[in-house]
Amino acid sequence: MPLHSPDPDDNDESPPNQPQPASPDPTRTGTGTAIATAPSLLHLSFNQDSGCFAAGTDRGFRIYNCDPFREIFRRDFGPGGGTSLVHMLFRCNILAFVGGGPDPRHPPNKVMIWDDHQSRCIGELSFRSEVLHQIETIANPKGLCEVSHLSGTMVLACPGLQKGQVRVEHYASKRTKFIMAHDSRIACFSLTQDGRLLATASSKGTLVRVFNTLDGSLLQEVRRGADRAEIYSLAFSPTAQWLAVSSDKGTVHVFNLKVDSGLLGLDRSNSSSESNPSSPTAVSSLKFMKGVLPKYFSSEWSVAQFRLQEGLQHIVAFGHQKNTIVILGMDGSFYRCQFDSANGGEMTQLEYYNFLKTDETF
């Protein structure tokens, strides 16, 4: 076995005091009478500032606030209400969703626009009308596509025409950049809010690379682990000082990014959630032999970790409080954790809920 900094993914030991997500309880009336089982979860997504998230179920959808955690509203359409995709538009009353599951509410080839003030659909996109821009990509079964969230930037990332390639469209400057990110196919990627940085992971899931989308240059490479993994989620912190990664290995990693914030127009000095820009990066202790030993031994490792149920899909985002991470699981689990930016190590769990437990009051 090669000598290297220990990777939490190799440790099968369960984290101390790790709560076991409860099995969904029946929905109950005010008198405690069971009327139905909890819905099945079909989709999870954060809104653009990660302050809220949406959950699509086999009965409809629900909207939650992350901090403090609470359910904002739900629309349970009952049988025939399956919603396979649901996305918020920041924090307004407009949502977009797609029917799905065993009993979909709407045809899966239509995107429905929902106005929750009116509690009805106000439009639909069926893709039979003219579209703004059509881009040809390599086979993309996951539907990978990311867009920037700041007005005026207008950046879109999608798979290119070759395996391992990402295409970046800068609509404001009318430029297209092709980035050969990996040798194997792209499994996951993420943009910063302004679209200037791109994080990518391949189907191998061992390395995550960070690129400058303006010129396509590789800025940093970090290592999740040594063995193959399926990367479920990549997330930049608001000022691009940190990068969070979740995978099927049951560990969420946080990496310290060393991108020159001045070149990217980012201001870390006034960030309430990202202090201590000089925090250490976890690097193999054998880095002094770089150039002699394989690249694996000089890889940059994560600063902080949080262990979860292995094999279950989780997505991650950075919280609005200092050095916090929000983790959502496809079993209905909600975690809010805090990491030590100076010393790293295991994250501290601040909150846990199962948001599918319909008899639980938040």
Side-chain angles (χ1 to χ4, degrees):
M1 176 179 292
L3 297 175
H4 62 85
S5 299
D7 181 13
D9 289 345
D10 298 331
N11 188 349
D12 293 331
E13 182 181 352
S14 299
N17 302 320
Q18 178 75 17
Q20 296 300 316
S23 299
D25 286 349
T27 302
R28 297 183 180 276
T29 64
T31 60
T33 303
I35 58 173
T37 58
S40 297
L41 194 57
L42 301 178
H43 183 250
L44 287 169
S45 66
F46 286 100
N47 73 337
Q48 286 81 1
D49 69 359
S50 303
C52 299
F53 69 93
T57 75
D58 59 352
R59 299 178 196 168
F61 61 87
R62 304 179 182 189
I63 305 297
Y64 298 86
N65 191 69
C66 290
D67 187 17
F69 177 80
R70 64 184 177 90
E71 182 179 305
I72 300 176
F73 65 86
R74 69 173 68 178
R75 296 292 174 256
D76 284 342
F77 303 121
T83 304
S84 63
L85 294 170
V86 57
H87 287 275
M88 302 173 64
L89 179 61
F90 291 93
R91 289 175 177 263
C92 75
N93 55 295
I94 304 297
L95 300 98
F97 66 83
V98 176
D103 199 359
R105 180 169 176 80
H106 296 282
N109 65 325
K110 292 185 178 182
V111 178
M112 311 305 297
I113 309 300
W114 175 272
D115 182 347
D116 204 67
H117 282 174
Q118 302 181 47
S119 295
R120 68 181 183 89
C121 289
I122 59 173
E124 66 179 56
L125 301 172
S126 61
F127 303 103
R128 287 177 293 194
S129 59
E130 183 180 354
V131 296
L132 296 177
H133 189 191
Q134 180 171 308
I135 300 174
E136 186 178 356
T137 73
I138 197 171
N140 187 18
K142 292 185 177 180
L144 298 178
C145 184
E146 287 283 318
V147 294
S148 59
H149 298 152
L150 295 184
S151 61
T153 57
M154 298 179 63
V155 179
L156 177 146
C158 64
L161 290 171
Q162 303 177 41
K163 181 176 64 174
Q165 185 185 68
V166 179
R167 175 174 181 156
V168 181
E169 294 287 342
H170 294 271
Y171 287 107
S173 58
K174 298 181 180 179
R175 290 190 299 168
T176 301
K177 191 68 185 179
F178 291 93
I179 299 174
M180 282 305 304
H182 300 273
D183 293 330
S184 50
R185 66 174 178 82
I186 300 294
C188 188
F189 54 72
S190 179
L191 287 170
T192 50
Q193 293 182 357
D194 62 5
R196 297 194 184 189
L197 294 182
L198 171 74
T200 67
S202 74
S203 56
K204 292 181 180 179
T206 54
L207 296 173
V208 177
R209 291 174 174 147
V210 178
F211 297 90
N212 182 336
T213 63
L214 298 175
D215 60 13
S217 60
L218 175 62
L219 300 176
Q220 191 170 347
E221 180 180 273
V222 298
R223 180 172 290 276
R224 180 214 55 81
D227 49 347
R228 296 181 72 100
E230 182 176 358
I231 303 297
Y232 290 135
S233 179
L234 296 171
F236 286 98
S237 62
T239 61
Q241 183 176 345
W242 307 102
L243 179 70
V245 181
S246 67
S247 73
D248 63 350
K249 293 300 181 181
T251 305
V252 170
H253 296 268
V254 174
F255 297 91
N256 183 17
L257 299 184
K258 300 181 296 185
V259 176
D260 188 337
S261 58
L263 292 176
L264 295 170
L266 301 172
D267 181 12
R268 293 176 177 171
S269 60
N270 297 321
S271 172
S272 61
S273 62
E274 301 176 42
S275 59
N276 192 13
S278 61
S279 59
T281 301
V283 181
S284 166
S285 59
L286 297 177
K287 188 173 182 179
F288 69 94
M289 297 190 71
K290 183 177 181 180
V292 178
L293 293 176
K295 191 174 183 179
Y296 170 85
F297 292 97
S298 60
S299 296
E300 298 179 34
W301 297 82
S302 59
V303 171
Q305 309 84 30
F306 187 74
R307 283 191 275 269
L308 299 152
Q309 179 181 335
E310 188 169 345
L312 181 68
Q313 184 172 356
H314 293 86
I315 63 173
V316 294
F318 283 85
H320 290 186
Q321 300 298 316
K322 180 181 179 181
N323 298 335
T324 57
I325 293 283
V326 175
I327 307 169
L328 307 178
M330 287 301 291
D331 59 348
S333 55
F334 171 96
Y335 298 89
R336 195 163 65 87
C337 309
Q338 188 167 44
F339 61 92
D340 187 329
S341 61
N343 300 313
E346 294 295 323
M347 298 187 213
T348 301
Q349 180 179 304
L350 301 178
E351 289 182 281
Y352 167 81
Y353 298 102
N354 186 326
F355 57 82
L356 290 181
K357 291 183 64 176
T358 52
D359 61 344
E360 187 168 332
T361 301
F362 303 115

